[in-house]
Amino acid sequence: MSKKPAAAPASPPQPAAVSRPSDANRAKAERLKEMLANKYTKQKETTEEMSRRRQELEEQMKGMNLNEAQKKKYREELGKMEAQSRREGMRRLTTDDFTRLSIIGRGAFGEVRLVRKNDTGEVWALKSMTKEAMVHKNQVGHVQAERDVLASADNNWIVGLQFSFQDDINLYMAMEFLPGGDLMSLLMKEDTFPEAATKQYMAEMIQAVACVHALGYIHRDLKPDNILLDWQGHLKLTDLGLSKKVEIDASYFGATPEDLNVNAAAARLDTRPLPDRKATHVRGQTNLPRDRKLAYSTVGTPDYIAPEVLSQKGYGPECDWWSLGVIMYECLVGYTPFYADDPVMTCRKILRWQQFLDVPDHVSRALSPQCLEFMMSFVCNAESRLGRTSMDEIRNHPWFAGLDWTSASLRSAPAPYKPDGADSIAALLSSIRTLEPSDARMAAAVNQLTANFDDFEEEETSRWGGQKKVGRRDKDNDFVGYTYSRRSVGGRESISTLFEQKAEGA
């Protein structure tokens, strides 16, 4: 009788395959974690602010000889103001909360409109960006970075963000409206600036870039198109869609002007529509260790991009100073130093900048030696670039001898060029706040207010809100935590308003 063959030994159980989260899912998880941390931090700050306001109210009432009934009324009024502020902060904004006035900018991913908020009459520049395009073009990180840095900024040199919100199709950012247009438009009008005007603009741009760096970011897309003019002709930075968060030691800022507020900025922190001149992306790889304090991706508009960004060997905040040097050259000469019809050729010229950098004789003869030396100290190798080790290197340059770097001083000085119609801006804004959209005077007022911007036709298929979900159903997950509102009940201001309201009602 034959024996049955022995059964083969059972294979040991194999461990289940470990599913690793994708880079996209890790990014979403980090974003959610950051959103929750910011939420609880904001709740703590709100509670502390309420306590401080109530203490402020009690201190002011002590010297007013009020009886208990009167004090109770003031306490109740403050409670109503705070409750109203909380309701406004919790309510989700939509495009229905704004009246469209005019299109003042348009790009590959969206557009910018002049709008009026329906409940307050305030005029804002509302930037809209298509979610589907943001995801498809891998711009999610960029648009989140722009929202983060604008929400964190609270100074005179970066365009202020008031609200950010979203619907099924678009992302929106309501920002302060600067009616002077951009520096590129002014350059096209004037061709070149004299040295004195260039010095003033450079001082303001330096302060603006320093504010971005103080927030822990590199701008990476500095160009005249992204430098806006307020109604007095002073500068502010916008379009931080390519900004990159990096580690910057606070000691870098040296004797920091009080308006940079580096420590406060650091404590708060823990889409761009493409212009006609498209950014050139040069792909490359390196086996060098990646420094956490350096960035490596190649972004920016070719004419203003620094050579170390193109070389893919890592770069830091000093790449922004190169861009400012190129802008300074354009202001003085009338064109960029490495211009070429082909963007690839522009990049090649930048990489061999020593060979192609040349200041025309008639320009160099008209400029002071200090001016030329300062410009060349920006348009040079990163290792020897002015401002690489500290802001004091820039502020102490002989070209700026005697300059008061505080915002109050820079912004109180008359701007080199005052925007057309500047004297009527206040009256125009006041009338637009109250005029009905159907009023014939509204269109004329809006046209005057946007005179320094190009004209754009309304598209048949508007990118405005109110559309239903299409395409990727999960794309909203890419923009978790995007909603933001700067509005809050102020401290002394709200208390003063409270007493004024009660006095008027008495």
Side-chain angles (χ1 to χ4, degrees), residues 99-159:
T99 298
R100 293 176 282 182
L101 301 177
S102 177
I103 300 176
I104 57 176
R106 179 173 287 146
F109 299 151
E111 61 193 15
V112 182
R113 290 179 180 266
L114 185 71
V115 299
R116 182 180 70 180
K117 197 160 186 292
N118 297 333
D119 58 348
T120 64
E122 295 169 304
V123 174
W124 303 103
L126 187 65
K127 180 177 180 178
S128 62
M129 295 158 285
T130 308
K131 286 183 177 180
E132 201 73 39
M134 295 289 105
V135 174
H136 182 67
K137 298 294 185 179
N138 296 318
Q139 296 293 309
V140 173
H142 291 159
V143 75
Q144 291 283 21
E146 180 177 28
R147 177 263 183 212
D148 289 348
V149 68
L150 290 179
S152 302
D154 186 14
N155 55 63
N156 292 308
W157 302 110
I158 302 175
V159 172

